[in-house]
Amino acid sequence: MPRLPRTARTLPLVLLLSMLGALFAACGDADDAEPSTVPAPATPVSSPTEPAPTATPLPTPETVVTDTGDAEPSPATPVATAPPEQPAGEPTPIADDVQEDEEDAGGEEAVVLPPVPTPAASTVRELLALGRPLVIGHAGGDRSWPHSTMYAFSQAAHAGVDVLEMDLQMTADRVLVVHHDDTVDRTTNATGRVRDMTYEELQALDNAYWWSEQWPSHDLAPEAYSYRGIRTGDVAPPEGYGPDDFRVETFRAVAQAFPEHVLDVEIKTPAGDDGEDDIDFILEMAAVLAADIEELGRTDSVVVVSFRDEALVGFRELAPDVITSPGQDSLPAWAFASVPLHPNDLILQVPPTFSGLDVLTPDLLGKAADEGLAVWVWPNEDWQEDPDYYAELIDLPVQGVIAGRPAEAVERFRADGDIP
């Protein structure tokens, strides 16, 4: 398989980092080049007709088509209608209290998952002080499990990752959800923009519908989609889990479910009706996130990044103590023109390659080391999601790998003696 070049062909740093700005929006999804155009299943099924007691959901957009199959979707958790209020329900249990002392439909005792291992560090500064490679689970580990589901985050946490990485979008009723794309088309059994849907509507969707070993392909045989139908009750879930672990989840629920893990959070950049990045909407997302982090007591255990520097400027004004990563404008300015980064920017998050050329140049890595900055790398090509390649990145060295196969990364780094 291709290997990371040691004496790489390198672009002039200004050109390289300019192209890096274009890559930054993907935040690690090698498959972001073009979402599949395969439509969702044709038979529409409406969202739950019983509204949650405390919710006043906005009207369902006509453009949203929801197909939840023949099974009736499970009732939605109540959601709030304006920030800073958020869904009031408790997060899906993922540790030793899962279905405890209950019996399944067959009369057998339910499987109880072991407790999530306590990570070596629970704040960002403690994490950076470990002085060893870090494994960051990209979207929970999207190459191993369904992207951005509670199931994936739980699997990654049980595998021993240091950090959980996630992307945030915002619903029509101003709930921050863990979801990468502007639309639900690539991962769920529906089509439509996240910003046009209420959280109640999103909850009913099967967020593992299109996941397969070849994810995000939409043209495989139905049996390739091994987690399809768990959300809707048509397929039994893995032992210790339930249908809710395969839905679109809120940021608050994930943060509450993994209180000891550092979270690496990207404020995504949804487009407006004109197709351009909606800066006002993005700034509103930043404000909701700042309020959530403060309310959850996660100020010292969250890293925030965004493609748009405007989002980071707005966020830092409201959350001045949260550590951040630089955006697409400030990163090249720092690398090429030595424009100082914001003091909160302690972690650079970059891809390894672009068009076969090395982004991780000696100049960039040396400059980061000289200034005491950590470098976390997100693979942006399919072949890079491999434990051998993860190990090569560590040898450069970089301080963290945002891995789509985090369990394999943990196993490899332990075998190499890089982590305990």
Side-chain angles (χ1 to χ4, degrees):
M1 77 177 210
R3 311 295 280 182
L4 182 70
R6 296 297 188 186
T7 55
R9 299 160 290 162
T10 58
L11 292 173
L13 194 54
V14 62
L15 177 58
L16 182 63
L17 270 297
S18 297
M19 291 189 293
L20 174 58
L23 282 169
F24 196 91
C27 193
D29 272 4
D31 40 76
D32 263 348
E34 194 66 41
S36 171
T37 57
V38 176
T43 307
V45 177
S46 62
S47 296
T49 55
E50 284 291 334
T54 60
T56 310
L58 303 180
T60 303
E62 293 182 0
T63 57
V64 176
V65 179
T66 305
D67 178 5
T68 55
D70 296 330
E72 192 68 15
S74 58
T77 302
V79 299
T81 57
E85 295 295 329
Q86 298 284 317
E90 290 297 316
T92 305
I94 46 81
D96 55 349
D97 57 348
V98 175
Q99 297 176 332
E100 192 170 9
D101 298 326
E102 293 182 3
E103 294 185 352
D104 62 22
E108 299 179 1
E109 187 172 330
V111 172
V112 178
L113 294 177
V116 171
T118 301
S122 293
T123 72
V124 181
R125 293 186 185 277
E126 291 172 349
L127 195 73
L128 297 178
L130 290 177
R132 64 159 175 82
L134 303 175
V135 178
I136 302 110
H138 179 256
D142 63 315
R143 298 290 168 160
S144 299
W145 311 292
H147 195 297
S148 298
T149 58
M150 190 69 86
Y151 175 71
F153 290 121
S154 177
Q155 291 287 92
H158 278 98
V161 301
D162 299 291
V163 182
L164 297 173
E165 187 272 347
M166 64 199 68
D167 312 286
L168 300 185
Q169 298 281 353
M170 189 164 68
T171 66
D173 46 355
R174 301 315 190 248
V175 176
L176 289 179
V177 292
V178 180
H179 192 77
H180 183 277
D181 295 355
D182 287 15
T183 74
V184 299
D185 301 25
R186 190 159 60 128
T187 60
T188 80
N189 55 330
T191 62
R193 298 193 306 179
V194 174
R195 64 178 296 172
D196 293 332
M197 306 173 74
T198 67
Y199 179 59
E200 183 179 355
E201 292 164 347
L202 284 173
Q203 269 197 320
L205 304 184
D206 183 346
N207 201 27
Y209 192 86
W210 288 114
W211 190 89
S212 71
E213 295 289 343
Q214 288 77 44
W215 190 86
S217 177
H218 282 200
D219 57 2
L220 305 176
E223 57 269 21
Y225 303 104
S226 52
Y227 295 97
R228 178 181 288 183
I230 296 174
R231 174 72 188 107
T232 54
D234 297 323
V235 175
E239 291 186 340
Y241 293 93
D244 286 354
D245 294 309
F246 297 85
R247 69 187 179 188
V248 178
E249 198 52 86
T250 68
F251 166 70
R252 291 176 65 95
V254 177
Q256 290 172 319
F258 303 97
E260 302 298 323
H261 279 79
V262 169
L263 308 179
D264 183 23
V265 178
E266 181 183 359
I267 303 170
K268 297 304 290 185
T269 56
D273 294 336
D274 60 359
E276 300 295 327
D277 290 348
D278 188 338
I279 300 301
D280 289 340
F281 192 79
I282 295 166
L283 289 174
E284 189 175 355
M285 291 172 62
V288 175
L289 177 60
D292 280 354
I293 291 173
E294 175 68 23
E295 184 177 337
L296 292 167
R298 298 301 300 261
T299 299
D300 60 354
S301 60
V302 173
V303 180
V304 173
V305 63
S306 181
F307 174 61
R308 297 301 298 247
D309 284 74
E310 297 94 327
L312 293 167
V313 171
F315 175 81
R316 292 192 196 102
E317 290 177 353
L318 298 170
D321 297 324
V322 175
I323 290 174
T324 54
S325 292
Q328 67 165 342
D329 296 329
S330 54
L331 180 56
W334 165 82
F336 177 68
S338 294
V339 175
L341 295 174
H342 190 278
N344 290 20
D345 286 341
L346 301 184
I347 302 165
L348 309 182
Q349 301 191 48
V350 297
T353 58
F354 178 74
S355 295
L357 299 173
D358 189 12
V359 172
L360 300 171
T361 64
D363 285 344
L364 185 143
L365 294 176
K367 185 175 176 62
D370 290 344
E371 298 187 23
L373 303 173
V375 178
W376 292 0
V377 178
W378 41 270
N380 63 324
E381 296 185 31
D382 288 343
W383 66 265
Q384 295 168 351
E385 294 287 6
D386 180 273
D388 289 340
Y389 187 77
Y390 299 157
E392 288 196 27
L393 291 174
I394 294 303
D395 288 342
L396 283 177
V398 303
Q399 289 69 49
V401 177
I402 305 175
R405 304 185 192 278
E408 295 179 25
V410 170
E411 182 178 4
R412 175 57 184 269
F413 292 173
R414 283 178 177 163
D416 290 349
D418 291 321
I419 63 176

